[in-house]
Amino acid sequence: MTRRYRLYDAIVEKHLKSLRQMVFLAGPRQVGKTTVARKAADIYLDWDLSTDQQLIVAGSQAVAERAGLSQLREHVPVLAFDELHKFGAWKNWLKGFFDSYAERSRVVVTGSSRLDVYRRGGDSLMGRYFLYHMHPLSVAELLKVEVPGAKLVRPPAALAEPVWQALWQHGGFPEPFTKRSRTFSLRWHSHRINQLLREDIRDLTRVQELGQLSALATLLSQRSGDQLVYSNLATEVRVAEDTVRRWVQTLVSLHLGFVVRPWFRNVAKSLRKEPKWFLRDWSSIADLGKRAETLVACHLLKAVDTWGDLGLGVFELRYLRDKQKREVDFIVIRDGAPWFLVEVKHGDAQLAPALQHFQMETAAPHAFQVVIDLPFVKRNCFAQKGPVVVPARTFLSQLV
């Protein structure tokens, strides 16, 4: 089967044509980072290959000679470095290479989901790269590969029913989505989780209690969309609460899942409240309501990350809950101000009262009740001002 042209192919191509900074691609295992890097690169070097490793260790000049950077070319060659973060001195190595050869080359750096973990530990590369968060396939990307511009949201478009069902049942990771086999998806999912828990955590962290951390990951795999109560998790896993907090952050850093924090105008108050947890892969979630909420959460995270990465504004994905336990699943904050609210339902088309309440409280221009089971409607969601019930297929087609 022909490889699908991805949104991130287009983003990387646009970056390499217009910017000298290195491209950093971060994201979950098996999301397609290596494939995007290979397509963009004239020279591809993989730290896990002994011959490439020897070349990199030999120094920047050896790599430059291999790439022919001293030769006159019609276009500036692109070098891709995969799994380079496993090299202990990778940041200093890249800094030296970039400072010497930035005018004669372009650089793409990828890794497993671990690249972003290393990046945070003291950034000696500041100003020399731009980071792009790579996400699984989404409704909008499956409709049309289009790099977002200043307008942000797209006109609505209908996704073919078999494609929608494949996304719902098998998730957005390219291989299981393409295979569309229940048995393959189950095996793929199990293998990915085992790799993450055994290899990534062992290689990247000082966590010794792998059995207990695996137990925590198992608990969280059943609780996508739930509020994280760290004290309860600590009791269940039999470790200290601070340990659970660190382990959850480790699992977030490795892209098993992500957290969505509550939004308050008072930032300190927001930080004191417990976040909600979401898996990166909704296909394994049996509960249809939780699967629906997780699918929409993943689409929203992809949108806010992409808009932010492209410099289109500062975006946050949060949720709303008050002392009366009224709650709305998501609120998207744009440049510090509420932009739109989202309440997710699998099949309930009756408007949730909390949606109107929180729209009045936040003064957000839009409030959507997104329903998975409703058929596509060709109307622009973002032209509606009051709370409105919208099909998921319409709403998600307008994102990224």
Side-chain angles (χ1 to χ4, degrees), residues 139-247:
V139 171
E141 185 180 351
L142 289 167
L143 285 163
K144 185 179 180 181
V145 172
E146 183 178 290
V147 179
K151 203 170 181 180
L152 295 186
V153 297
R154 307 179 182 193
L159 190 66
E161 180 66 17
V163 182
W164 166 260
Q165 290 300 330
L167 192 67
W168 171 254
Q169 293 170 17
H170 300 288
F173 284 86
E175 197 164 10
F177 172 81
T178 302
K179 295 281 188 186
R180 301 184 189 184
S181 162
R182 175 68 175 164
T183 55
F184 178 86
S185 293
L186 288 171
R187 294 172 67 187
W188 180 91
H189 177 77
S190 177
H191 182 64
R192 176 176 173 270
I193 297 300
N194 286 335
Q195 276 190 313
L196 187 146
L197 291 177
R198 298 299 172 184
E199 295 180 25
D200 289 4
I201 289 175
R202 181 194 62 215
D203 294 346
L204 267 181
T205 74
R206 298 178 181 177
V207 174
Q208 301 298 319
E209 304 89 344
L210 286 179
Q212 286 168 291
L213 195 147
S214 295
L216 175 63
T218 299
L219 288 174
L220 293 178
S221 71
Q222 302 162 0
R223 300 180 185 181
S224 190
D226 288 355
Q227 194 173 36
L228 284 177
V229 182
Y230 292 109
S231 57
N232 291 351
L233 288 170
T235 300
E236 291 180 85
V237 184
R238 298 185 180 182
V239 295
E241 184 175 330
D242 285 347
T243 301
V244 167
R245 289 178 182 272
R246 287 196 305 272
W247 286 359

Side-chain angles (χ1 to χ4, degrees), residues 168 182 221-222 279 282-292:
W168 171 254
R182 175 68 175 164
S221 71
Q222 302 162 0
L279 292 173
W282 59 84
S283 67
S284 62
I285 302 171
D287 182 279
L288 296 182
K290 289 180 181 293
R291 184 188 294 195

Side-chain angles (χ1 to χ4, degrees), residues 41-303:
D42 299 294
I43 302 293
Y44 171 82
L45 299 174
D46 184 351
W47 179 260
D48 285 339
L49 295 177
S50 60
T51 52
D52 291 352
Q53 187 177 127
Q54 290 168 16
L55 180 65
I56 292 167
V57 171
S60 297
Q61 187 174 349
V63 172
E65 289 175 1
R66 163 76 179 279
L69 298 189
S70 60
Q71 300 173 19
L72 182 66
R73 293 172 175 264
E74 290 186 8
H75 72 278
V76 178
V78 177
L79 285 76
F81 299 99
D82 204 357
E83 301 291 333
L84 187 63
H85 58 269
K86 295 179 181 178
F87 178 28
W90 75 279
K91 285 188 286 188
N92 286 334
W93 192 96
L94 271 181
K95 180 178 181 294
F97 185 89
F98 180 83
D99 290 347
S100 298
Y101 300 105
E103 301 306 321
R104 287 181 274 173
S105 67
R106 295 293 179 265
V107 174
V108 178
V109 181
T110 73
S112 67
S113 54
R114 300 175 285 191
L115 176 65
D116 210 22
V117 179
Y118 282 106
R119 186 184 64 86
R120 293 173 188 149
D123 208 341
S124 61
L125 294 169
M126 184 63 68
R128 295 175 173 86
Y129 71 93
F130 284 114
L131 174 68
Y132 297 96
H133 297 85
M134 193 164 173
H135 290 261
L137 294 162
S138 57
V139 171
E141 185 180 351
L142 289 167
L143 285 163
K144 185 179 180 181
V145 172
E146 183 178 290
V147 179
K151 203 170 181 180
L152 295 186
V153 297
R154 307 179 182 193
L159 190 66
E161 180 66 17
V163 182
W164 166 260
Q165 290 300 330
L167 192 67
W168 171 254
Q169 293 170 17
H170 300 288
F173 284 86
E175 197 164 10
F177 172 81
T178 302
K179 295 281 188 186
R180 301 184 189 184
S181 162
R182 175 68 175 164
T183 55
F184 178 86
S185 293
L186 288 171
R187 294 172 67 187
W188 180 91
H189 177 77
S190 177
H191 182 64
R192 176 176 173 270
I193 297 300
N194 286 335
Q195 276 190 313
L196 187 146
L197 291 177
R198 298 299 172 184
E199 295 180 25
D200 289 4
I201 289 175
R202 181 194 62 215
D203 294 346
L204 267 181
T205 74
R206 298 178 181 177
V207 174
Q208 301 298 319
E209 304 89 344
L210 286 179
Q212 286 168 291
L213 195 147
S214 295
L216 175 63
T218 299
L219 288 174
L220 293 178
S221 71
Q222 302 162 0
R223 300 180 185 181
S224 190
D226 288 355
Q227 194 173 36
L228 284 177
V229 182
Y230 292 109
S231 57
N232 291 351
L233 288 170
T235 300
E236 291 180 85
V237 184
R238 298 185 180 182
V239 295
E241 184 175 330
D242 285 347
T243 301
V244 167
R245 289 178 182 272
R246 287 196 305 272
W247 286 359
V248 168
Q249 187 54 52
T250 295
L251 295 174
V252 168
S253 298
L254 298 177
H255 301 289
L256 176 67
F258 59 97
V259 295
V260 176
R261 298 194 174 279
W263 184 79
F264 296 93
R265 294 190 188 276
N266 182 329
V267 175
K269 187 176 181 181
S270 177
L271 292 174
R272 290 196 299 268
K273 299 295 183 180
E274 305 289 20
K276 290 168 68 175
W277 163 265
F278 292 94
L279 292 173
R280 287 282 190 159
D281 180 10
W282 59 84
S283 67
S284 62
I285 302 171
D287 182 279
L288 296 182
K290 289 180 181 293
R291 184 188 294 195
E293 189 177 347
T294 303
L295 180 148
V296 173
C298 289
H299 278 68
L300 289 170
L301 182 67
K302 179 175 181 175

